Amino acid sequence: MTMEKSEIAALLSPLIRAGADIYEVGGPVRDRLLGAASKDHDILCRCLPMKKLVSLLRPHGKVAAVGKSFGVVKFNPRRLPGLEIDIALPRRERSTGTGHRDFDVDFDPNLPVEADLGRRDFTVNAMAVSFADGRLVDPFGGEADLKAKILRQVFPKAFEEDPLRLVRAVQFAARFGLTIEPITWSAMRENAELVASVSGERISQELVKLMRAPRPSVGFDLMHDSGLMKHILPELDALRGIEQDKQPGDDVYGHTMRALDAARSDREIESAGDPDLLFAILLHDIGKARTARYHPPSKRVVFFGHQIVSARLARRWMERMKLASAGLHPERISALIEHHMFETKASYTDRAIRRFVAKIGVDLIFSLLDLRLADNRGGKHPHGIKGAVRLR
């Protein structure tokens, strides 16, 4: 639920009357500066201890303590039960060892807001707006970086502290059209292998956000160039260099990226942008690396049965990455992949179409046709979609 800052302030008035110093922080501030609505409501609350904060909010709605050492609460106002506001105390982090997980989190209501912003990931996310006077707190130049379309880490060990930030960098760059600053880019490449320590569930949540980019391929290209892809989706990385349709300089990876961008926004695709469709097209050809064979009669590389292998590999990857936890439907995705090789000939009879629908299922049939349209858009004849459109 998207709400104006003044509306949030009204809901948090019990804290303000008790002397709290409240700020909107992170993503919502970035989104407002971009002129975009934000569904997230991230609040930083100074000058009130957590026990007092909870006792003030509890008469007005549901309050759930979360986060390490319970320094964060989720507040669902009683009069707006569909709204969730994240409220955190300022915190600092102290290293306790050499590993990226070796640090203690210290929540302190008396810390200055600048200290809290200093432990965040990127400058464009390290800004706050005061509820008291509307002042922008921007100690690291996030507003200037946002205007210049630059993604910059806040501090040198940002990726070592939390390797999920490597994937966040990719999805932010793709979604907001940002260029990753050279020192930040070098740090990403140096620390890429650390992403292997991040849970699949956390990575999947970032990949779903990446799919919202105007061209998701930008993010996957960055993922490859930084060295992340071989740890996150090696099955996709393996498609680079595998010949696609005898096109000079083209490969299966390039085809997949074109098809993915089509699945995101092509006007001919009725369910463009649907997450299940996007992940189905992302994974629809990953079996080609294992099935590629040179076929002497046709003098070209063929991929017999690749859809079956692709579906099997996709199921394994989706289970490994806990994709269902991010709201996706793995069984639906694997079914689309398994059935994506079908004829779109003009000579289909009504009876043949009925058999086709019965085989695929009414609930999948139009998604499957959308996948084929995206697949065609990524091929050597991107305008050759009449057969699929006619069949639809």
Side-chain angles (χ1 to χ4, degrees):
M1 184 182 296
T2 301
M3 298 190 70
E4 294 298 322
K5 192 157 70 70
S6 59
E7 296 174 293
I8 299 295
L11 294 169
L12 300 180
S13 58
L15 306 182
I16 296 171
R17 287 196 298 269
D21 184 20
I22 295 180
Y23 298 83
E24 186 175 50
V25 292
V29 177
R30 176 201 66 225
D31 292 345
R32 290 185 195 279
L33 289 174
L34 288 170
S38 178
K39 293 183 179 179
D40 296 326
H41 302 289
D42 297 333
I43 303 299
L44 186 73
C45 180
R46 297 185 62 251
C47 305
L48 278 185
M50 179 56 69
K51 188 175 180 180
K52 179 71 172 175
L53 186 156
V54 170
S55 68
L56 288 168
L57 289 178
R58 190 153 278 155
H60 304 281
K62 181 181 177 182
V63 182
V66 296
K68 197 171 184 179
S69 302
F70 304 108
V72 182
V73 299
K74 291 186 179 294
F75 175 49
N76 300 102
R78 185 171 291 111
R79 59 191 173 101
L80 288 170
L83 176 68
E84 185 173 85
I85 304 173
D86 289 345
I87 306 171
L89 300 184
R91 74 192 194 203
R92 62 160 61 97
E93 288 161 357
R94 180 174 59 87
S95 175
T96 59
T98 57
H100 68 268
R101 293 176 177 170
D102 298 329
F103 58 90
D104 284 335
V105 179
D106 178 26
F107 291 95
D108 183 349
N110 298 312
L111 278 177
V113 62
E114 291 83 358
D116 180 87
L117 296 176
R119 57 93 194 162
R120 293 176 181 262
D121 49 11
F122 307 108
T123 62
V124 297
N125 296 329
M127 295 181 282
V129 173
S130 169
F131 273 67
D133 56 15
R135 174 176 59 98
L136 177 68
V137 183
D138 182 15
F140 305 102
E143 184 179 24
D145 280 350
L146 202 56
K147 288 179 179 177
K149 296 287 186 180
I150 291 173
L151 189 72
R152 187 192 314 270
Q153 63 187 358
V154 171
F155 59 99
K157 292 194 175 183
F159 299 119
E160 294 177 51
E161 179 187 283
D162 184 358
L164 182 66
R165 290 169 171 165
L166 294 158
V167 192
R168 285 169 61 80
V170 163
Q171 65 100 344
F172 283 137
R175 281 172 59 205
F176 301 118
L178 306 179
T179 299
I180 301 175
E181 175 265 339
I183 294 176
T184 303
W185 180 248
S186 294
M188 288 178 65
R189 298 188 67 180
E190 290 170 8
N191 292 289
E193 64 182 17
L194 293 180
V195 79
S197 67
V198 181
S199 71
E201 184 174 359
R202 295 180 76 204
I203 292 173
S204 290
Q205 291 169 355
E206 298 302 321
L207 294 181
V208 170
K209 294 175 185 177
L210 168 57
M211 290 300 195
R212 300 174 193 163
R215 292 178 56 228
S217 65
V218 172
F220 286 99
D221 287 346
L222 288 170
M223 205 179 293
H224 170 266
D225 294 344
S226 62
L228 290 170
M229 190 178 289
K230 62 186 178 184
H231 301 290
I232 296 173
L233 221 178
E235 298 88 347
L236 182 64
D237 206 35
L239 302 183
R240 297 180 75 92
I242 296 178
E243 182 184 276
Q244 172 76 16
D245 291 332
K246 298 183 73 174
Q247 292 281 89
D250 194 15
D251 57 18
V252 179
Y253 173 83
H255 156 72
T256 300
M257 292 298 101
R258 294 191 299 273
L260 180 64
D261 288 345
R264 174 65 181 84
S265 57
D266 194 290
R267 292 181 180 179
E268 287 287 352
I269 297 172
E270 292 179 343
S271 60
D274 173 70
D276 284 347
L277 174 66
L278 287 162
F279 276 92
I281 204 71
L282 177 72
L283 304 169
H284 81 289
D285 276 350
I286 57 174
K288 284 187 173 180
R290 300 195 181 187
T291 58
R293 301 287 186 274
Y294 181 73
H295 187 238
S298 61
K299 297 182 179 179
R300 65 186 183 95
V301 176
V302 295
F303 310 98
F304 296 138
H306 77 272
Q307 70 274 22
I308 305 299
V309 178
S310 294
R312 184 173 70 244
L313 293 175
R315 280 191 290 269
R316 291 176 184 170
W317 181 81
M318 289 187 288
E319 184 177 347
R320 188 167 77 240
M321 302 303 292
K322 304 291 190 292
L323 204 66
S325 68
L328 280 295
H329 304 91
E331 288 304 315
R332 181 182 181 86
I333 293 168
S334 59
L336 290 172
I337 295 169
E338 184 171 342
H339 295 296
H340 81 269
M341 295 296 292
F342 59 88
E343 292 286 345
T344 58
K345 57 191 177 183
S347 58
Y348 259 124
T349 63
D350 285 352
R351 185 177 179 183
I353 289 176
R354 289 192 184 96
R355 285 200 303 269
F356 181 50
V357 173
K359 175 184 176 183
I360 303 303
V362 174
D363 59 328
L364 278 183
I365 193 70
F366 287 106
S367 294
L368 185 64
L369 287 165
D370 276 346
L371 190 148
R372 169 53 71 87
L373 285 165
D375 197 5
N376 287 359
R377 287 298 205 199
K380 63 179 178 179
H381 300 299
H383 300 295
I385 61 171
K386 290 182 180 179
V389 171
R390 188 185 302 114
L391 183 55
R392 181 175 68 192

